[in-house]
Amino acid sequence: MKLVRDTWLIFQQEAGLMVRNPVMVAFSLAQPITYLILFAPFLKVVMVDRGASTYADAYRIYVPGLFVAMGLFGGLFAGYGLLSALRAGIIDRCRVTPVSRTGLLLGRALMHVCLNVVQAMVVTLVALPFGLRVHLANLLVSYALLSVMVLLSTSISYDIALLVRNENSLGVLVNTVGQPVSLLAGVLIPLVLAPMWIQRVAVWNPFAWATDGMRALFAGQITQSVVWQGALIMSGLAAASLFWSSRLFNRDVS
Amino acid sequence: MIEATGLRKSFRVGRGRGATTVEAVRGVDFAVRRGEIVGFLGPNGAGKSTTLRMLATLIRPSGGAATIAGVDLLRAPAQVRRRIGFVAQASGTYDDSTARRDLVLQARMHGLSKSVAQELAAGAIRAFQLDDFADRKIKTYSGGQRRRLDVALGVIHSPQVMFLDEPTAGLDPPSRVRMWQEVRRLREEGMTIFLTTHYLDEADSLCDRVSIIDAGRIVAEGTPSALKREISGDVVAVDFAAADVADETGGDLPAATKLLAEAPYVHAAEPVDGTLRLYDDSAATAIPQVMRALYDRGIEPGAIEARRPSLDDVFLAKTGRSLAE
């Protein structure tokens, strides 16, 4: 109960600060929208043999991939915020109070989840005029899947941040991990177009499962098993990673 | 109110075989009574902040024990947190937040309801005179305003014991005096205050008692006046850093030190930063003798000044170094 209250408290504080900084939120949307407008049309040409003959088809394939890319990178950079809060002494100030330690971490992670879902909503709205059509129920499930994915990537970022304790190393590690993971998840171009050996490697990439699940949702195939498989893989990993980051965070270091 | 015995902290630095252990605090004993203002005075890296952070439950001691407001620090850190306030060296506020928002959050982190937290925040804003800027972004505050907010945050839940880590570091003189007034006001409200400082004047005028700490050990303890009384007599400071005699080597300082250290009317001669400090029974009789001795050797001092011993002289006598260095 205390955990829920304190998580909500920290979430409110972090989200409140984000809302007070709308320019930052707007800028964080610039990249996904650029990709949405300038990259998605390529897919209409590339995927023509795979039955993508219209812009609507291209966006149905690209938007779920974009969600995964946003969820992955949006979360992976969350560690910067944690490091700057540690450096500014904000975390110390909180830790001298009886507030729940796990709540301090979880409230911050949930703010990133919320931010990413709002961004995904904006992206969905922008894609509508290009012909994107998706069932509302499937869309809501995809937002839920995105939320779990952001929890996972955020906690991975927290794990790295708490281990290296340094913004430069965090940046290098996040890019080194994030690039291959996103490409091997087929966020830009679906893996069906990839050579066989890449597809074989991608089977081991949890985010590839999430991307496939996300695309199935946008294709209107909510009953495909990859949907629940992707969700299950993401949830399991998110739970494990969150548990580990809260262990690292609560540990006696500062 | 605070009792510490043999409190120690060592850190492991580096990894694997290259790892070494740094002894930040080597076993300190001290006690602070209810309603006292007690200060840890020492240079950077002496272990002041580490001691404070151990007492504030932020880091776990490697050894020793402490009781704060009757609660065992190691056994019940959560109980300790309800009774203490802590103001760190780093401000610990959000740049984009406001004083009011952070004060409400702080009170709510102590488990208070939203309405109570808002009342407490309004009270703190009045008490610390933050009214003019309480709803502006914190990044627009001056250093002194920011520091007042830090202290307001630390005492929002009316703790019994308050820890202040370098409360006036980096503040201009008026803001420092203002902060001292705030600290005294907190004591009048019944709080016990434990602070660290590397400012001599702060330890001297604000603290009831001072512990001088160096390299992780307490080297002297007492009221500022008692500590200074330990240095009997006067201090004559002979300045060699003044304009015409200054150069990289400190000019005649080494020769003068050697000469005067052997003089019968000088108890001790310590060179500090281009100045030679001479400890003697009486400045009035020592100064003419010092001048004659120097002129006989053809050494011309920049300036000669007589003064009462300061806490820095105490520090120098105990550690062989000056705090000003």
Side-chain angles (χ1 to χ4, degrees), chain A residues 5 9-10 12-14 16-17 20-21 87-90 92-99 101 108 163 252 254, chain B residues 9 53 58-60 81-82 84 86 90-94 96-98 101-102 105-106 108-112 137 153:
Chain A
R5 177 200 181 267
L9 189 63
I10 300 301
Q12 281 178 307
Q13 167 78 356
E14 295 289 321
L17 289 174
R20 291 163 66 89
N21 225 334
R87 186 146 306 150
I90 291 168
D92 274 354
R93 166 157 76 87
C94 299
R95 282 213 271 214
V96 180
T97 73
V99 76
R101 273 69 190 126
R108 288 185 154 72
L163 286 172
D252 174 22
S254 42
Chain B
K9 182 72 193 178
R53 294 169 64 79
L58 283 169
I59 49 176
R60 220 182 147 71
R81 281 180 203 122
R82 294 182 191 286
I84 63 164
F86 171 67
S91 154
T93 44
Y94 295 82
D96 286 324
S97 188
T98 66
R101 279 181 66 99
D102 271 19
L105 172 72
Q106 184 76 7
R108 298 204 67 199
M109 286 196 295
H110 278 285
L112 299 165
K137 283 194 177 182
L153 286 165

CSV table of all heavy atoms in Angstrom, one decimal, chain A residues 5 9-10 12-14 16-17 20-21 87-90 92-99 101 108 163 252 254, chain B residues 9 53 58-60 81-82 84 86 90-94 96-98 101-102 105-106 108-112 137 153:
chain,number,residue,atom,x,y,z
A,5,ARG,N,1.3,4.1,-2.8
A,5,ARG,CA,1.2,5.6,-2.5
A,5,ARG,C,2.4,6.3,-2.9
A,5,ARG,O,2.4,7.4,-3.6
A,5,ARG,CB,0.9,5.7,-1.0
A,5,ARG,CG,0.8,7.2,-0.6
A,5,ARG,CD,1.0,7.4,0.9
A,5,ARG,NE,0.9,8.8,1.3
A,5,ARG,CZ,1.9,9.6,1.4
A,5,ARG,NH1,3.2,9.2,1.1
A,5,ARG,NH2,1.8,10.8,1.7
A,9,LEU,N,3.1,9.2,-5.7
A,9,LEU,CA,3.7,10.5,-5.3
A,9,LEU,C,4.8,10.9,-6.2
A,9,LEU,O,4.9,12.0,-6.7
A,9,LEU,CB,4.1,10.4,-3.9
A,9,LEU,CG,4.5,11.6,-3.2
A,9,LEU,CD1,3.3,12.6,-3.1
A,9,LEU,CD2,5.0,11.3,-1.8
A,10,ILE,N,5.8,10.0,-6.4
A,10,ILE,CA,6.9,10.3,-7.2
A,10,ILE,C,6.5,10.4,-8.7
A,10,ILE,O,7.0,11.3,-9.4
A,10,ILE,CB,8.0,9.2,-7.1
A,10,ILE,CG1,8.5,9.1,-5.6
A,10,ILE,CG2,9.2,9.5,-8.0
A,10,ILE,CD1,9.0,10.4,-5.0
A,12,GLN,N,3.7,11.5,-9.8
A,12,GLN,CA,3.1,12.8,-9.9
A,12,GLN,C,4.1,14.0,-10.0
A,12,GLN,O,4.0,14.9,-10.9
A,12,GLN,CB,2.2,13.1,-8.7
A,12,GLN,CG,0.8,12.5,-8.8
A,12,GLN,CD,0.1,12.8,-7.5
A,12,GLN,OE1,0.6,12.6,-6.4
A,12,GLN,NE2,-1.1,13.3,-7.6
A,13,GLN,N,5.1,13.9,-9.2
A,13,GLN,CA,6.1,14.9,-9.2
A,13,GLN,C,6.9,14.9,-10.5
A,13,GLN,O,7.0,16.0,-11.2
A,13,GLN,CB,7.1,14.6,-8.1
A,13,GLN,CG,8.4,15.5,-8.1
A,13,GLN,CD,8.3,16.9,-7.7
A,13,GLN,OE1,7.2,17.3,-7.3
A,13,GLN,NE2,9.3,17.6,-7.6
A,14,GLU,N,7.3,13.7,-11.0
A,14,GLU,CA,8.1,13.6,-12.2
A,14,GLU,C,7.2,14.1,-13.4
A,14,GLU,O,7.7,14.8,-14.3
A,14,GLU,CB,8.6,12.2,-12.4
A,14,GLU,CG,9.6,11.8,-11.4
A,14,GLU,CD,10.9,12.5,-11.5
A,14,GLU,OE1,11.4,12.7,-12.6
A,14,GLU,OE2,11.5,12.9,-10.5
A,16,GLY,N,4.6,15.9,-13.4
A,16,GLY,CA,4.3,17.4,-13.2
A,16,GLY,C,5.4,18.2,-13.8
A,16,GLY,O,5.2,19.2,-14.5
A,17,LEU,N,6.6,17.8,-13.5
A,17,LEU,CA,7.8,18.5,-14.1
A,17,LEU,C,7.8,18.4,-15.6
A,17,LEU,O,8.2,19.4,-16.3
A,17,LEU,CB,9.1,18.0,-13.5
A,17,LEU,CG,9.3,18.3,-12.0
A,17,LEU,CD1,10.5,17.6,-11.4
A,17,LEU,CD2,9.4,19.8,-11.8
A,20,ARG,N,5.4,20.7,-17.1
A,20,ARG,CA,5.8,22.1,-17.1
A,20,ARG,C,6.9,22.4,-18.1
A,20,ARG,O,7.3,23.5,-18.2
A,20,ARG,CB,6.4,22.4,-15.7
A,20,ARG,CG,5.3,22.4,-14.6
A,20,ARG,CD,6.0,22.3,-13.2
A,20,ARG,NE,6.8,23.4,-12.9
A,20,ARG,CZ,6.3,24.5,-12.3
A,20,ARG,NH1,5.0,24.6,-12.0
A,20,ARG,NH2,7.1,25.5,-12.0
A,21,ASN,N,7.3,21.4,-18.8
A,21,ASN,CA,8.4,21.6,-19.8
A,21,ASN,C,7.9,21.1,-21.2
A,21,ASN,O,8.5,20.2,-21.8
A,21,ASN,CB,9.6,20.8,-19.4
A,21,ASN,CG,10.9,21.6,-19.5
A,21,ASN,OD1,10.9,22.5,-20.3
A,21,ASN,ND2,11.9,21.3,-18.7
A,87,ARG,N,23.2,13.0,-8.9
A,87,ARG,CA,24.2,14.0,-8.8
A,87,ARG,C,23.7,15.3,-8.1
A,87,ARG,O,24.4,15.9,-7.3
A,87,ARG,CB,24.7,14.4,-10.2
A,87,ARG,CG,25.9,15.3,-10.2
A,87,ARG,CD,26.8,14.9,-11.4
A,87,ARG,NE,27.2,13.5,-11.4
A,87,ARG,CZ,27.4,12.8,-12.4
A,87,ARG,NH1,27.4,13.4,-13.6
A,87,ARG,NH2,27.8,11.6,-12.3
A,88,ALA,N,22.5,15.7,-8.4
A,88,ALA,CA,21.9,16.9,-7.8
A,88,ALA,C,21.6,16.7,-6.3
A,88,ALA,O,21.2,17.6,-5.7
A,88,ALA,CB,20.7,17.3,-8.6
A,89,GLY,N,21.7,15.4,-5.9
A,89,GLY,CA,21.4,15.2,-4.5
A,89,GLY,C,19.9,15.0,-4.2
A,89,GLY,O,19.4,14.9,-3.1
A,90,ILE,N,19.1,14.9,-5.3
A,90,ILE,CA,17.6,14.8,-5.1
A,90,ILE,C,17.3,13.4,-4.5
A,90,ILE,O,16.5,13.3,-3.6
A,90,ILE,CB,16.9,14.9,-6.5
A,90,ILE,CG1,17.0,16.4,-7.0
A,90,ILE,CG2,15.5,14.5,-6.4
A,90,ILE,CD1,16.6,16.6,-8.4
A,92,ASP,N,19.3,11.6,-2.7
A,92,ASP,CA,19.7,11.6,-1.3
A,92,ASP,C,18.6,12.2,-0.4
A,92,ASP,O,18.3,11.7,0.7
A,92,ASP,CB,21.0,12.3,-1.1
A,92,ASP,CG,22.2,11.5,-1.4
A,92,ASP,OD1,22.0,10.3,-1.5
A,92,ASP,OD2,23.3,12.0,-1.4
A,93,ARG,N,18.1,13.4,-0.9
A,93,ARG,CA,17.1,14.1,-0.1
A,93,ARG,C,15.9,13.2,0.1
A,93,ARG,O,15.4,13.2,1.2
A,93,ARG,CB,16.7,15.4,-0.8
A,93,ARG,CG,15.5,16.0,-0.3
A,93,ARG,CD,15.4,17.4,-0.6
A,93,ARG,NE,15.0,17.7,-2.0
A,93,ARG,CZ,13.7,17.8,-2.4
A,93,ARG,NH1,12.7,17.6,-1.5
A,93,ARG,NH2,13.4,18.1,-3.6
A,94,CYS,N,15.5,12.4,-0.9
A,94,CYS,CA,14.4,11.5,-0.8
A,94,CYS,C,14.7,10.4,0.2
A,94,CYS,O,13.9,9.9,0.9
A,94,CYS,CB,14.0,11.0,-2.1
A,94,CYS,SG,13.5,12.3,-3.3
A,95,ARG,N,16.0,9.9,0.1
A,95,ARG,CA,16.3,8.7,0.9
A,95,ARG,C,16.4,8.9,2.3
A,95,ARG,O,16.5,8.0,3.1
A,95,ARG,CB,17.6,8.1,0.3
A,95,ARG,CG,17.3,7.3,-1.0
A,95,ARG,CD,18.3,6.1,-1.0
A,95,ARG,NE,19.5,6.5,-1.7
A,95,ARG,CZ,20.2,5.6,-2.5
A,95,ARG,NH1,19.7,4.4,-2.7
A,95,ARG,NH2,21.3,6.0,-3.0
A,96,VAL,N,16.5,10.2,2.7
A,96,VAL,CA,16.6,10.5,4.2
A,96,VAL,C,15.2,10.5,4.8
A,96,VAL,O,15.0,10.5,6.0
A,96,VAL,CB,17.3,11.9,4.4
A,96,VAL,CG1,17.4,12.2,5.9
A,96,VAL,CG2,18.7,11.8,3.9
A,97,THR,N,14.2,10.5,3.9
A,97,THR,CA,12.8,10.4,4.4
A,97,THR,C,12.4,8.9,4.4
A,97,THR,O,13.0,8.1,3.8
A,97,THR,CB,11.8,11.2,3.5
A,97,THR,OG1,11.7,10.5,2.3
A,97,THR,CG2,12.4,12.6,3.2
A,98,PRO,N,11.2,8.6,5.1
A,98,PRO,CA,10.8,7.2,5.1
A,98,PRO,C,10.1,6.8,3.8
A,98,PRO,O,9.6,5.7,3.8
A,98,PRO,CB,9.7,7.2,6.3
A,98,PRO,CG,9.9,8.5,6.9
A,98,PRO,CD,10.4,9.5,6.0
A,99,VAL,N,10.2,7.5,2.7
A,99,VAL,CA,9.6,7.2,1.5
A,99,VAL,C,10.1,5.8,1.0
A,99,VAL,O,11.2,5.4,1.2
A,99,VAL,CB,9.8,8.3,0.4
A,99,VAL,CG1,11.2,8.2,-0.1
A,99,VAL,CG2,8.8,8.2,-0.7
A,101,ARG,N,11.8,3.1,-1.0
A,101,ARG,CA,12.9,3.2,-2.0
A,101,ARG,C,12.5,2.7,-3.4
A,101,ARG,O,12.9,3.3,-4.4
A,101,ARG,CB,14.1,2.3,-1.5
A,101,ARG,CG,15.0,3.0,-0.6
A,101,ARG,CD,14.4,3.3,0.8
A,101,ARG,NE,15.3,4.1,1.6
A,101,ARG,CZ,15.0,5.3,2.1
A,101,ARG,NH1,13.8,5.7,2.0
A,101,ARG,NH2,15.8,6.0,2.8
A,108,ARG,N,9.5,7.0,-11.1
A,108,ARG,CA,10.2,7.5,-12.3
A,108,ARG,C,10.0,6.7,-13.5
A,108,ARG,O,9.8,7.2,-14.6
A,108,ARG,CB,11.7,7.6,-12.0
A,108,ARG,CG,12.1,8.6,-11.0
A,108,ARG,CD,13.6,8.8,-10.8
A,108,ARG,NE,13.9,10.1,-10.3
A,108,ARG,CZ,13.6,10.5,-9.1
A,108,ARG,NH1,13.1,9.7,-8.2
A,108,ARG,NH2,13.9,11.8,-8.7
A,163,LEU,N,25.2,0.8,-12.4
A,163,LEU,CA,26.4,0.1,-12.4
A,163,LEU,C,27.6,1.0,-12.8
A,163,LEU,O,28.7,1.0,-12.2
A,163,LEU,CB,26.3,-1.1,-13.3
A,163,LEU,CG,25.5,-2.3,-12.7
A,163,LEU,CD1,25.3,-3.4,-13.8
A,163,LEU,CD2,26.2,-2.9,-11.5
A,252,ASP,N,23.6,-0.3,-0.5
A,252,ASP,CA,24.2,0.8,0.2
A,252,ASP,C,25.4,1.4,-0.6
A,252,ASP,O,26.5,1.2,-0.4
A,252,ASP,CB,24.8,0.2,1.5
A,252,ASP,CG,25.6,1.2,2.3
A,252,ASP,OD1,25.4,2.4,2.1
A,252,ASP,OD2,26.4,0.7,3.1
A,254,SER,N,26.3,5.3,-2.7
A,254,SER,CA,25.8,6.7,-3.2
A,254,SER,C,26.9,7.6,-3.3
A,254,SER,O,28.0,7.3,-3.0
A,254,SER,CB,24.8,7.2,-2.2
A,254,SER,OG,25.1,7.0,-0.9
B,9,LYS,N,34.2,4.3,8.6
B,9,LYS,CA,33.7,4.0,7.3
B,9,LYS,C,34.9,3.8,6.4
B,9,LYS,O,35.8,4.7,6.3
B,9,LYS,CB,32.8,5.1,6.7
B,9,LYS,CG,32.3,4.8,5.3
B,9,LYS,CD,31.2,3.7,5.3
B,9,LYS,CE,30.9,3.2,3.9
B,9,LYS,NZ,29.9,2.1,4.0
B,53,ARG,N,26.8,11.6,6.6
B,53,ARG,CA,26.0,10.8,5.8
B,53,ARG,C,25.7,9.4,6.5
B,53,ARG,O,24.6,8.8,6.3
B,53,ARG,CB,26.6,10.5,4.4
B,53,ARG,CG,26.6,11.8,3.6
B,53,ARG,CD,27.5,11.7,2.3
B,53,ARG,NE,26.9,10.7,1.4
B,53,ARG,CZ,25.9,11.0,0.6
B,53,ARG,NH1,25.4,12.2,0.6
B,53,ARG,NH2,25.5,10.1,-0.2
B,58,LEU,N,22.3,7.5,5.1
B,58,LEU,CA,22.5,7.4,3.7
B,58,LEU,C,23.6,6.3,3.4
B,58,LEU,O,23.5,5.7,2.3
B,58,LEU,CB,23.0,8.7,3.1
B,58,LEU,CG,21.8,9.7,2.9
B,58,LEU,CD1,22.3,11.1,2.6
B,58,LEU,CD2,20.9,9.2,1.8
B,59,ILE,N,24.6,6.2,4.2
B,59,ILE,CA,25.6,5.1,4.0
B,59,ILE,C,25.7,4.3,5.3
B,59,ILE,O,25.5,4.9,6.4
B,59,ILE,CB,26.9,5.6,3.5
B,59,ILE,CG1,27.4,6.8,4.4
B,59,ILE,CG2,26.9,6.0,2.1
B,59,ILE,CD1,28.8,7.3,4.0
B,60,ARG,N,26.0,3.0,5.2
B,60,ARG,CA,26.1,2.2,6.3
B,60,ARG,C,27.5,2.2,6.9
B,60,ARG,O,28.5,2.1,6.2
B,60,ARG,CB,25.8,0.7,5.9
B,60,ARG,CG,24.9,0.0,6.8
B,60,ARG,CD,24.7,-1.4,6.4
B,60,ARG,NE,24.6,-2.3,7.6
B,60,ARG,CZ,23.6,-2.3,8.4
B,60,ARG,NH1,22.6,-1.5,8.2
B,60,ARG,NH2,23.6,-3.1,9.5
B,81,ARG,N,15.0,8.0,10.5
B,81,ARG,CA,14.6,8.9,9.5
B,81,ARG,C,13.4,9.8,9.9
B,81,ARG,O,13.3,10.9,9.4
B,81,ARG,CB,14.3,8.1,8.2
B,81,ARG,CG,15.5,7.7,7.4
B,81,ARG,CD,15.2,6.9,6.2
B,81,ARG,NE,16.3,6.1,5.8
B,81,ARG,CZ,16.4,4.8,5.7
B,81,ARG,NH1,15.2,4.1,5.9
B,81,ARG,NH2,17.5,4.2,5.4
B,82,ARG,N,12.6,9.2,10.7
B,82,ARG,CA,11.4,10.0,11.2
B,82,ARG,C,11.8,11.1,12.1
B,82,ARG,O,11.1,12.1,12.3
B,82,ARG,CB,10.4,9.1,11.9
B,82,ARG,CG,9.8,8.1,11.0
B,82,ARG,CD,8.8,7.2,11.8
B,82,ARG,NE,8.4,6.1,10.9
B,82,ARG,CZ,7.7,6.2,9.8
B,82,ARG,NH1,7.2,7.4,9.5
B,82,ARG,NH2,7.4,5.1,9.1
B,84,ILE,N,15.0,12.8,12.1
B,84,ILE,CA,16.0,13.6,11.6
B,84,ILE,C,15.7,14.4,10.3
B,84,ILE,O,14.8,14.0,9.6
B,84,ILE,CB,17.3,12.8,11.3
B,84,ILE,CG1,17.1,11.9,10.2
B,84,ILE,CG2,17.8,12.2,12.6
B,84,ILE,CD1,18.4,11.3,9.6
B,86,PHE,N,17.9,16.4,7.1
B,86,PHE,CA,19.3,16.4,6.5
B,86,PHE,C,19.3,17.4,5.4
B,86,PHE,O,18.5,17.4,4.5
B,86,PHE,CB,19.6,15.0,6.1
B,86,PHE,CG,20.9,14.8,5.3
B,86,PHE,CD1,22.1,15.1,5.9
B,86,PHE,CD2,20.9,14.5,3.9
B,86,PHE,CE1,23.3,14.9,5.2
B,86,PHE,CE2,22.1,14.4,3.2
B,86,PHE,CZ,23.3,14.6,3.8
B,90,ALA,N,25.1,19.1,-1.9
B,90,ALA,CA,24.4,19.3,-3.1
B,90,ALA,C,23.0,19.7,-2.8
B,90,ALA,O,22.4,19.0,-1.9
B,90,ALA,CB,24.5,18.1,-4.0
B,91,SER,N,22.4,20.6,-3.5
B,91,SER,CA,21.2,21.2,-3.0
B,91,SER,C,20.0,20.2,-3.0
B,91,SER,O,19.3,20.2,-2.0
B,91,SER,CB,20.9,22.4,-4.0
B,91,SER,OG,19.5,22.6,-4.1
B,92,GLY,N,19.9,19.4,-4.0
B,92,GLY,CA,18.8,18.3,-4.0
B,92,GLY,C,17.5,18.8,-4.3
B,92,GLY,O,16.5,18.2,-3.9
B,93,THR,N,17.4,19.9,-5.1
B,93,THR,CA,16.1,20.4,-5.6
B,93,THR,C,16.1,20.3,-7.1
B,93,THR,O,17.1,20.2,-7.7
B,93,THR,CB,15.9,21.8,-5.2
B,93,THR,OG1,17.0,22.6,-5.4
B,93,THR,CG2,15.5,21.9,-3.7
B,94,TYR,N,14.9,20.2,-7.6
B,94,TYR,CA,14.7,20.2,-9.1
B,94,TYR,C,14.7,21.6,-9.6
B,94,TYR,O,14.0,22.4,-9.2
B,94,TYR,CB,13.3,19.6,-9.4
B,94,TYR,CG,13.0,18.2,-9.0
B,94,TYR,CD1,12.7,17.8,-7.7
B,94,TYR,CD2,13.1,17.2,-9.9
B,94,TYR,CE1,12.4,16.5,-7.3
B,94,TYR,CE2,12.9,15.8,-9.6
B,94,TYR,CZ,12.5,15.5,-8.3
B,94,TYR,OH,12.2,14.2,-7.9
B,96,ASP,N,13.5,22.8,-12.3
B,96,ASP,CA,12.3,23.2,-13.0
B,96,ASP,C,11.1,23.2,-12.0
B,96,ASP,O,10.0,23.6,-12.4
B,96,ASP,CB,11.9,22.4,-14.2
B,96,ASP,CG,12.9,22.7,-15.3
B,96,ASP,OD1,13.2,23.9,-15.5
B,96,ASP,OD2,13.2,21.7,-16.1
B,97,SER,N,11.3,22.8,-10.8
B,97,SER,CA,10.2,22.8,-9.8
B,97,SER,C,10.2,24.2,-9.1
B,97,SER,O,10.9,25.1,-9.4
B,97,SER,CB,10.4,21.7,-8.8
B,97,SER,OG,9.3,21.5,-8.0
B,98,THR,N,9.3,24.3,-8.2
B,98,THR,CA,9.2,25.5,-7.4
B,98,THR,C,9.4,25.2,-5.9
B,98,THR,O,9.3,24.0,-5.6
B,98,THR,CB,7.8,26.2,-7.5
B,98,THR,OG1,6.9,25.4,-6.9
B,98,THR,CG2,7.5,26.5,-9.0
B,101,ARG,N,6.2,23.5,-4.6
B,101,ARG,CA,6.0,22.1,-5.0
B,101,ARG,C,7.0,21.1,-4.3
B,101,ARG,O,6.6,20.1,-3.8
B,101,ARG,CB,6.3,22.0,-6.5
B,101,ARG,CG,5.2,22.4,-7.4
B,101,ARG,CD,5.7,22.2,-8.9
B,101,ARG,NE,5.9,20.8,-9.1
B,101,ARG,CZ,5.0,20.0,-9.7
B,101,ARG,NH1,3.9,20.5,-10.2
B,101,ARG,NH2,5.2,18.7,-9.9
B,102,ASP,N,8.2,21.5,-4.2
B,102,ASP,CA,9.2,20.6,-3.5
B,102,ASP,C,8.9,20.5,-2.0
B,102,ASP,O,9.1,19.4,-1.5
B,102,ASP,CB,10.6,21.1,-3.8
B,102,ASP,CG,11.2,20.5,-5.1
B,102,ASP,OD1,10.4,20.1,-5.9
B,102,ASP,OD2,12.4,20.5,-5.2
B,105,LEU,N,6.0,18.1,-1.7
B,105,LEU,CA,6.5,16.7,-2.0
B,105,LEU,C,7.3,16.2,-0.8
B,105,LEU,O,7.1,15.0,-0.4
B,105,LEU,CB,7.4,16.7,-3.2
B,105,LEU,CG,8.1,15.4,-3.5
B,105,LEU,CD1,7.1,14.3,-4.0
B,105,LEU,CD2,9.2,15.6,-4.5
B,106,GLN,N,8.1,17.0,-0.2
B,106,GLN,CA,9.0,16.6,0.9
B,106,GLN,C,8.1,16.2,2.1
B,106,GLN,O,8.3,15.1,2.7
B,106,GLN,CB,9.9,17.7,1.3
B,106,GLN,CG,10.9,17.4,2.4
B,106,GLN,CD,12.0,16.5,1.9
B,106,GLN,OE1,12.2,16.3,0.7
B,106,GLN,NE2,12.9,16.0,2.8
B,108,ARG,N,5.0,15.2,1.9
B,108,ARG,CA,4.3,14.0,1.6
B,108,ARG,C,5.2,12.7,1.6
B,108,ARG,O,4.7,11.6,1.9
B,108,ARG,CB,3.6,14.1,0.2
B,108,ARG,CG,2.6,15.3,0.2
B,108,ARG,CD,1.6,15.1,-0.9
B,108,ARG,NE,0.7,14.0,-0.6
B,108,ARG,CZ,0.0,13.4,-1.5
B,108,ARG,NH1,0.0,13.8,-2.7
B,108,ARG,NH2,-0.8,12.4,-1.1
B,109,MET,N,6.5,12.9,1.3
B,109,MET,CA,7.4,11.8,1.4
B,109,MET,C,7.5,11.3,2.9
B,109,MET,O,7.9,10.2,3.2
B,109,MET,CB,8.7,12.1,0.8
B,109,MET,CG,8.7,12.1,-0.7
B,109,MET,SD,10.3,12.0,-1.5
B,109,MET,CE,11.0,13.5,-0.9
B,110,HIS,N,7.2,12.2,3.8
B,110,HIS,CA,7.2,11.9,5.2
B,110,HIS,C,5.9,11.2,5.6
B,110,HIS,O,5.7,11.0,6.8
B,110,HIS,CB,7.5,13.1,6.1
B,110,HIS,CG,9.0,13.4,6.2
B,110,HIS,ND1,9.9,12.6,6.9
B,110,HIS,CD2,9.8,14.3,5.6
B,110,HIS,CE1,11.1,13.1,6.8
B,110,HIS,NE2,11.1,14.1,6.0
B,111,GLY,N,5.0,11.0,4.6
B,111,GLY,CA,3.8,10.2,4.9
B,111,GLY,C,2.6,11.1,5.3
B,111,GLY,O,1.6,10.6,5.7
B,112,LEU,N,2.8,12.4,5.1
B,112,LEU,CA,1.6,13.3,5.5
B,112,LEU,C,0.7,13.5,4.3
B,112,LEU,O,1.0,13.3,3.1
B,112,LEU,CB,2.2,14.7,5.8
B,112,LEU,CG,3.1,14.6,7.0
B,112,LEU,CD1,4.0,15.9,7.2
B,112,LEU,CD2,2.4,14.4,8.3
B,137,LYS,N,10.4,29.2,-10.7
B,137,LYS,CA,11.2,28.0,-10.9
B,137,LYS,C,12.5,28.1,-10.1
B,137,LYS,O,13.1,29.2,-10.0
B,137,LYS,CB,11.6,27.9,-12.4
B,137,LYS,CG,10.5,27.3,-13.2
B,137,LYS,CD,10.9,26.8,-14.6
B,137,LYS,CE,9.8,26.2,-15.3
B,137,LYS,NZ,10.2,25.7,-16.6
B,153,LEU,N,13.3,22.6,3.4
B,153,LEU,CA,12.9,21.2,3.1
B,153,LEU,C,13.4,20.2,4.2
B,153,LEU,O,12.6,19.3,4.5
B,153,LEU,CB,13.6,20.8,1.7
B,153,LEU,CG,13.1,21.4,0.5
B,153,LEU,CD1,14.0,21.3,-0.7
B,153,LEU,CD2,11.7,20.8,0.1
